[in-house]
Amino acid sequence: PLMEDVSISGEFITPDGKKHTLSSKEINRLDAPWAAAAKRYPAGKILTAAFPGVEPGNTVTYTITRKVKDKPYFYAEMPSRTTEPALLRKITVNAAENVDFYGIKPIEFTTFGDDKTLTAIISDQPRIVPESSAPALSECVPTLKIHSTDPAAFAFALNDALHKKIVITPEIKK
């Protein structure tokens, strides 16, 4: 919550065409499982949404929006496949000019002034069966990777900033 806002909206459509929209009562923000063990840090959050009444044959559509703010460095990965099957997965990213994309080849890439938009569409993706010893999905399926600056340049800038603050005392020299 401090550095990003996340929201979800969605609906499902039954085979006969009836729409059911996700309501605010079906959306929950929960503390991450590790939150109780790390009392000195702000609790990480998990956003959950329930689609009551979904049955086989329904079409589920949802949009997750992440607005990142006040971060010196931003990185995200969006795998093209997950442990859930998808007939269609559309990934759209609206970003500032300094954000770079790599990984999945976008089908549409546009730039407007200082902003740019990438859209990637992935279709007919079967589910990946979860395995306890499997690597991260981003290591074994095509993945859209997004970062806000060159990671090496950020690391050097952080290193320089830290070295300017470090004071070497006689106790440290020993």
Side-chain angles (χ1 to χ4, degrees):
L2 296 175
M3 292 190 224
E4 68 182 20
D5 295 320
V6 181
S7 62
I8 186 169
S9 60
E11 66 183 14
F12 70 92
I13 303 170
T14 60
D16 63 0
K18 190 172 180 184
K19 283 187 180 183
H20 302 271
T21 303
L22 185 65
S23 77
S24 60
K25 294 177 188 176
E26 296 151 344
I27 300 171
N28 291 299
R29 293 181 194 282
L30 307 170
D31 285 344
W34 57 263
K39 295 181 185 340
R40 69 191 320 186
Y41 300 105
K45 299 292 183 181
I46 297 174
L47 180 67
T48 64
F51 287 89
V54 170
E55 296 178 359
N58 293 163
T59 300
V60 177
T61 304
Y62 62 91
T63 300
I64 298 172
T65 303
R66 290 178 66 189
K67 292 182 181 177
V68 180
K69 57 189 179 189
D70 301 329
K71 279 189 176 182
Y73 182 73
F74 170 74
Y75 179 80
E77 293 181 335
M78 294 175 217
S80 62
R81 291 178 62 192
T82 68
T83 55
E84 299 300 325
L87 294 176
L88 177 71
R89 179 171 286 122
K90 180 178 179 183
I91 300 170
T92 302
V93 179
N94 299 315
E97 186 178 6
N98 68 333
V99 174
D100 290 325
F101 305 107
Y102 59 100
I104 296 172
K105 183 178 179 184
I107 60 148
E108 183 181 312
F109 187 75
T110 55
T111 303
F112 299 102
D114 290 340
D115 295 333
K116 56 187 174 182
T117 300
L118 171 133
T119 301
I121 295 181
I122 303 107
S123 58
D124 295 324
Q125 296 296 311
R127 78 185 285 265
I128 294 175
V129 178
E131 297 179 26
S132 61
S133 61
L137 287 176
S138 61
E139 300 300 321
C140 56
V141 301
T143 301
L144 173 63
K145 298 179 181 183
I146 306 164
H147 61 89
S148 60
T149 187
D150 175 36
F154 176 73
F156 283 119
L158 183 60
N159 187 49
D160 288 345
L162 289 173
H163 278 278
K164 289 177 183 174
K165 297 290 184 181
I166 293 174
V167 177
I168 299 181
T169 65
E171 294 81 25
I172 293 175
K173 288 182 182 179
K174 293 179 184 178

